[in-house]
């Protein structure tokens, strides 16, 4: 018994001594804290000991955001919010045609000014009448309308004996206005309707024309005209053969908050795009669907097939309310041959005459109406986004005479 107790004491006494020394060292360390390794941080009292994580952050670990509790996980900064695009507000359509006056004056040889100069002479000889007719022909009025205007002026001068400049001006204005024909219906068919079952049917406007006339740009500007008049619009990029056409049209639409329906890849079926655009207009209850078509004029048969297919598929969803032919005013009489083909194939209901500001040949308005039997409904006045105006015969004639 005594031997066993002696053995335990011999083994345990050194262990107890080591254990006691260790406890003493730890106790002294608690009473005398060591200085922190890192500098003071906001929110940590002076003399306080930062945690181990604060003193020596492990390599590769990002320190938390300022103000976050020690040991808290880093919060990912939110992605910057992109500002919503600012939509453009198109200029009102009323009064746009008044800009044509000064632009016609800059075109070099205004029609109205030359006519007035001849008619204001004291005595009109046969050579003067020949000069008047030549002026009209050079302005692309056309042979038939030119002869008609000269006969009317001759009668007025002979019967009324007009000499006063103001009276001459009035006489010429009446004669030109009669040629332009203000009685034609120039309103655009852009009012939506209802189907037999009460469903919504948007107005559908098909825009046709040859390449180079500014057709796609005109569709974009026409969208702005309709938005300015309070219409809701959807665009159909059915010109799938020109790579940039859909992008160009989509850019025009995005500026005024108008969506564009386009093919998934270049060279898609134009009729399918037109159909999807009309269906979108029906679904979203849009007022107007504008469909841009390819400007190819390879041959009459091919054009007829393509436009015929587009027309057929469109009318499955909504009736076609307007077919607008875009013509370049600077092409003059040469453009009328192409216009005839489109008119025969597509059943044109109205003309959009572009680049009218860049030519003295304002008589093309008369010629194209006489040739095709449809009215000019819109005219392009320049390159600005709002330089497309509803055609007003009286304002147009006044612009010619005051240029």
């Amino acid at each position: 018994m005594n031997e066993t107790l002696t053995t335990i004491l011999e083994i345990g006494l050194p262990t107890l001594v080591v254990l006691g020394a260790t406890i003493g060292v730890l106790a002294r360390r608690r009473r005398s804290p060591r200085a922190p390794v890192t500098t003071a941080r906001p929110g940590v009292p002076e003399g306080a000991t930062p945690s181990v994580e604060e003193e020596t952050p492990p390599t590769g670990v990002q320190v938390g955001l300022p103000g976050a509790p020690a040991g808290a996980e880093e919060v990912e900064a939110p992605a910057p919010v992109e500002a919503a695009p600012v939509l453009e507000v198109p200029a009102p359509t009323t009064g746009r045609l008044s800009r044509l006056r000064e632009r016609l004056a800059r075109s070099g040889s205004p029609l109205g000014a030359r006519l007035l100069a001849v008619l204001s002479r004291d005595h009109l000889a046969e050579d003067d009448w020949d000069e008047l007719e030549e002026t009209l022909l050079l302005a692309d009025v056309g042979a038939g309308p030119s002869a008609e205007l000269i006969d009317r002026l001759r009668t007025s001068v002979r019967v009324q004996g007009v000499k006063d400049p103001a009276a001459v001006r009035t006489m010429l204005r009446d004669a030109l206005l009669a040629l332009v024909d203000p009685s034609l219906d120039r309103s655009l068919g852009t009012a939506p309707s209802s189907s037999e079952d009460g469903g919504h049917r948007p107005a559908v406007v098909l825009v046709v024309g040859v390449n180079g006339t500014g057709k796609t740009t005109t569709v974009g500007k026409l969208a702005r005209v309709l938005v300015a008049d309070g219409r809701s619009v959807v665009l159909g990029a059915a010109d799938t053969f020109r790579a940039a056409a859909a992008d160009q049209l989509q850019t025009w639409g995005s500026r005024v908050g108008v969506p564009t329906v386009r093919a998934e890849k270049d060279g898609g079926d134009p009729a399918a795009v037109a159909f999807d655009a009309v269906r979108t207009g029906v679904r979203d209850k849009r007022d107007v669907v504008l469909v841009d078509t390819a400007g190819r004029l390879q041959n009459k048969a091919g054009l007829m097939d393509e436009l015929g297919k587009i027309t057929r598929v469109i009318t499955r969803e909504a009736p076609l309310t307007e077919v607008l032919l875009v013509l370049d005013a600077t092409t003059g009489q040469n453009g009328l041959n192409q216009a005839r083909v489109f008119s025969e194939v597509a059943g044109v209901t109205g003309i959009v005459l572009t680049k009218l500001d860049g030519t003295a040949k304002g008589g093309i308005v008369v010629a194209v109406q006489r040739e095709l039997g449809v009215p000019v409904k819109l005219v392009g006045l320049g390159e600005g986004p709002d330089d497309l105006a509803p055609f007003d015969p009286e304002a147009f004639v006044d612009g010619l005479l005051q240029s």
Side-chain angles (χ1 to χ4, degrees):
M1 181 73 177
N2 290 334
E3 291 178 358
T4 302
L5 182 58
T6 300
T7 303
I8 293 174
L9 289 174
E10 289 177 352
I11 296 173
L13 187 58
T15 302
L16 291 174
V17 172
V18 173
L19 181 60
T22 302
I23 292 173
V25 170
L26 292 175
R28 286 195 299 273
R29 287 186 177 180
R30 290 191 61 187
R31 288 193 300 269
S32 302
R34 58 189 174 93
V37 175
T38 59
T39 57
R41 298 178 56 191
V44 180
E46 185 178 356
T49 306
S51 63
V52 175
E53 290 80 6
E54 289 178 323
E55 293 182 36
T56 54
T59 303
V61 178
Q62 295 180 335
V63 180
L65 296 175
E73 294 183 1
E74 180 191 6
V75 179
E76 183 179 355
V81 179
E82 294 184 3
V86 179
L87 297 181
E88 298 177 8
V89 179
T93 56
T94 55
R96 286 190 184 186
L97 201 60
S98 61
R99 302 181 214 163
L100 185 61
R101 183 177 307 167
E102 61 182 53
R103 290 175 179 174
L104 283 175
R106 294 198 303 264
S107 63
S109 179
L111 169 64
R114 295 187 64 185
L115 293 176
L116 282 172
V118 176
L119 288 172
S120 298
R121 295 170 185 169
D122 292 336
H123 175 72
L124 292 178
E126 194 63 33
D127 289 343
D128 296 321
W129 292 113
D130 290 342
E131 184 180 345
L132 284 174
E133 186 170 9
E134 181 182 355
T135 299
L136 293 170
L137 292 173
L138 290 175
D140 279 333
V141 174
S146 295
E148 180 182 322
L149 181 60
I150 293 298
D151 289 343
R152 179 169 181 146
L153 291 174
R154 277 179 180 268
T155 301
S156 298
V157 170
R158 183 172 58 251
V159 172
Q160 301 176 16
V162 177
K163 295 296 181 182
D164 180 67
V168 170
R169 184 185 201 86
T170 301
M171 177 185 66
L172 180 57
R173 182 184 187 276
D174 292 342
L176 287 172
L177 194 57
L179 277 185
V180 177
D181 195 353
S183 65
L184 295 175
D185 181 12
R186 302 177 192 277
S187 60
L188 287 175
T190 57
S193 60
S194 298
S195 59
E196 295 180 358
D197 58 359
H200 175 81
R201 294 196 304 190
V204 181
V205 179
L206 190 66
V207 183
V208 300
V210 299
N211 286 328
T213 58
K215 181 172 50 60
T216 300
T217 298
T218 298
V219 175
K221 291 183 179 182
L222 179 54
R224 296 177 69 93
V225 168
L226 295 172
V227 170
D229 289 340
R231 301 287 192 192
S232 58
V233 183
V234 61
L235 299 175
D239 183 354
T240 60
F241 295 93
R242 188 164 62 90
D247 293 337
Q248 183 182 357
L249 195 62
Q250 188 167 359
T251 299
W252 277 102
S254 63
R255 292 174 180 173
V256 288
V258 171
T260 300
V261 176
R262 57 184 297 177
E264 294 182 359
K265 59 181 180 179
D266 294 336
D269 185 2
V273 175
F275 180 79
D276 289 342
V278 175
R279 174 166 285 184
T280 299
V282 172
R283 182 195 66 204
D284 297 344
K285 293 183 171 20
R286 298 273 173 168
D287 295 328
V288 188
V289 178
L290 287 179
V291 180
D292 182 27
T293 60
R296 295 169 299 115
L297 189 59
Q298 295 170 342
N299 57 71
K300 186 175 178 179
L303 182 66
M304 183 178 295
D305 290 343
E306 181 174 308
L307 291 179
K309 181 179 179 182
I310 291 175
T311 302
R312 286 195 303 274
V313 299
I314 282 177
T315 52
R316 294 176 187 172
E317 290 290 319
L320 193 60
T321 56
E322 198 83 60
V323 179
L324 297 178
L325 172 62
V326 180
L327 288 179
D328 184 343
T330 63
T331 62
Q333 296 289 326
N334 294 330
L336 292 181
N337 294 329
Q338 298 172 338
R340 290 189 201 100
V341 175
F342 276 99
S343 182
E344 294 170 2
V345 170
V348 174
T349 59
I351 305 296
V352 183
L353 205 55
T354 64
K355 306 178 186 177
L356 190 60
D357 63 309
T359 176
K361 301 183 177 183
I364 189 65
V365 172
V366 176
V368 72
Q369 289 184 159
R370 290 291 185 92
E371 181 67 34
L372 303 182
V374 294
V376 172
K377 295 190 173 184
L378 295 159
V379 289
L381 309 177
E383 298 180 357
D386 293 323
D387 284 343
L388 184 70
F391 184 73
D392 181 342
E394 294 193 4
F396 174 70
V397 171
D398 288 340
L400 289 178
L401 294 177
Q402 296 180 30
S403 58

